[in-house]
Amino acid sequence: MIKFGVIGTNWITKMFIAAAIETGEYELSKIYSRTQERGESFLRTLTVDDVDIVTTLSDLYTGIDLVYIASPNSLHFEQSKVAIEAGVHVIVEKPTTSNPAEFSEIEKLLTLYPEVRYFEAARHVHQPNFKVIQQTMGELTQLQGATLVYQKYSSRYDAYLAGEEPNVLSRNFSAGALYDLGVYPIYAAIALFGAPRAVQYLPILLTNGADGKGTASLFYDDFNVTLLFGKTANSYLSSEIYGLKETIAISNIAELDTITYHDGDGHADNIGQKTDDNPMIHEAQDFADIINDPVENHTKYNQWFQLAKQVNQTLFDLRSSADIEFLADKKEY
């Protein structure tokens, strides 16, 4: 049984806890919160017992095997670093780090702690329907690119409009549309098509300099991939992958609820599976498999680590193309 702790007392942490427990591979041991009261309030929303509330990382990383980190983006690096140095496996919500400099430091640190595994929680690439997309792409006559969409109005945008600066829309916290919802289509694109040869990002900036929404282009040798994402409006467009005449339509690139194959002759087939109520179950199981048998699953782990590294670099390259700077970029490592 993998004893784990969590950083973050929000809905996605609650979802991961439920998924982890459902696999039968994990046991929740500790909850980290800045205050005892907030941690206890979060614990009351869970259906688990015998969980400790801690308010320091040193207390969190004692007596656990793994930590799940769902704090603001700018905190991921330091919290992951301390965990690795404590010999604790890390699952960190996307994005792993604020920039490639931080990711490089994590990569160097992992060489000193070879038993530790470091994962990025990009749930959609672990779901069965993502594998359906990958398989169907291999059957296309000629791959001609894609349009991937994930745009969803954030409740925190209301706070921004009221004059506040919420973490998820602040460059001080390494946030904005690209480093939040944008990670989903970028992860899908790189997992499906590989790393692009060039990129460009055209954002719609908020008054604080963070991006509220935008359009990104990934350039490959024979095609382009267009990404549409944002937190200031809702989109109901499907994502599409283009063959010669065939098209794979995806209802939501993050949730993968419905996958439809259009054969070019007017025929459309639903080729996807029914999705789980909790979309994080498959990534939780995949990560547990690697922790429980790192030798057998060494290749798979390296593939996911390299994918996370490519995503991190692509995020940075897109952000750089739009001259968006984070506070974390000014640090020296």
Side-chain angles (χ1 to χ4, degrees):
M1 192 69 72
I2 301 167
K3 288 189 175 183
F4 74 107
V6 297
I7 299 177
T9 53
N10 48 41
W11 66 270
I12 200 164
T13 306
K14 186 175 180 179
M15 184 182 292
F16 178 80
I17 291 170
I21 292 173
E22 187 169 339
T23 66
E25 306 281 358
Y26 300 81
E27 177 185 339
L28 180 62
S29 179
K30 295 183 180 182
I31 295 171
Y32 169 86
S33 178
R34 285 175 294 176
T35 68
Q36 187 78 17
E37 293 75 18
R38 179 176 293 183
E40 291 174 352
S41 176
F42 178 68
L43 179 58
R44 286 193 292 271
T45 70
L46 307 177
T47 56
V48 293
D49 300 313
D50 299 324
V51 177
D52 293 332
I53 308 298
V54 297
T55 56
T56 67
L57 291 181
S58 58
D59 287 338
L60 173 66
Y61 293 145
T62 301
I64 63 171
D65 306 304
L66 173 143
V67 63
Y68 169 79
I69 299 174
S71 54
N73 296 346
S74 59
L75 303 180
H76 290 179
F77 170 69
E78 288 295 340
Q79 291 171 344
S80 297
K81 183 172 176 287
V82 176
I84 294 168
E85 290 172 337
V88 173
H89 303 297
V90 176
I91 299 174
V92 58
E93 268 301 328
K94 47 77 186 164
T96 50
T97 57
S98 298
N99 52 49
E102 289 186 348
F103 195 97
S104 179
E105 289 299 307
I106 292 293
E107 190 171 19
K108 292 175 186 175
L109 188 60
L110 288 167
T111 64
L112 302 178
Y113 298 87
E115 302 302 316
V116 173
R117 296 295 176 262
Y118 177 81
F119 308 97
E120 183 167 27
R123 65 178 187 267
H124 57 319
V125 300
H126 295 271
Q127 292 179 234
N129 275 349
F130 196 83
K131 296 178 177 63
V132 170
I133 295 170
Q134 289 176 310
Q135 180 179 349
T136 307
M137 273 181 51
E139 301 171 1
L140 297 178
T141 305
Q142 178 183 338
L143 183 59
Q144 297 196 96
T147 301
L148 306 180
V149 184
Y150 194 31
Q151 186 164 277
K152 187 176 180 182
Y153 190 89
S154 170
S155 61
R156 303 307 297 155
Y157 188 53
D158 289 334
Y160 166 80
L161 293 175
E164 301 175 25
E165 187 172 3
N167 295 350
V168 296
L169 292 171
S170 172
R171 291 180 298 146
N172 291 338
F173 287 91
S174 304
L178 175 61
Y179 273 64
D180 188 353
L181 300 188
V183 181
Y184 288 98
I186 291 167
Y187 231 103
I190 295 178
L192 293 171
F193 309 113
R197 60 175 176 79
V199 302
Q200 183 181 35
Y201 182 38
L202 301 175
I204 303 298
L205 297 179
L206 306 178
T207 55
N208 65 358
D211 55 322
K213 61 182 292 190
T215 301
S217 297
L218 308 184
F219 302 102
Y220 294 84
D221 289 339
D222 300 316
F223 56 83
N224 297 337
V225 175
T226 301
L227 312 175
L228 307 174
F229 48 83
K231 297 175 68 65
T232 63
N234 289 315
S235 175
Y236 301 94
L237 294 174
S238 295
S239 294
E240 295 181 329
I241 300 171
Y242 310 113
L244 191 60
K245 293 182 179 180
E246 320 95 327
T247 299
I248 303 169
I250 305 143
S251 60
N252 184 306
I253 197 59
E255 307 302 335
L256 308 180
D257 298 315
T258 305
I259 314 295
T260 306
Y261 176 74
H262 300 265
D263 67 4
D265 293 321
H267 304 295
D269 293 314
N270 182 0
I271 58 174
Q273 304 178 19
K274 185 180 183 303
T275 56
D276 295 283
D277 292 335
N278 189 325
M280 302 180 83
I281 290 174
H282 295 284
E283 70 172 0
Q285 183 63 61
D286 283 345
F287 298 157
D289 290 344
I290 288 172
I291 291 170
N292 290 330
D293 195 343
V295 175
E296 177 67 24
N297 295 288
H298 180 70
T299 299
K300 186 180 295 185
Y301 170 70
N302 280 341
Q303 289 173 342
W304 285 332
F305 185 87
Q306 291 304 316
L307 177 58
K309 184 177 181 179
Q310 290 174 339
V311 168
N312 187 272
Q313 183 66 55
T314 302
L315 284 168
F316 181 75
D317 292 342
L318 285 165
R319 181 161 62 84
S320 297
S321 76
D323 294 321
I324 298 174
E325 186 177 48
F326 288 160
L327 184 62
D329 299 332
K330 299 178 181 180
K331 296 179 183 178
E332 294 184 4
Y333 302 98

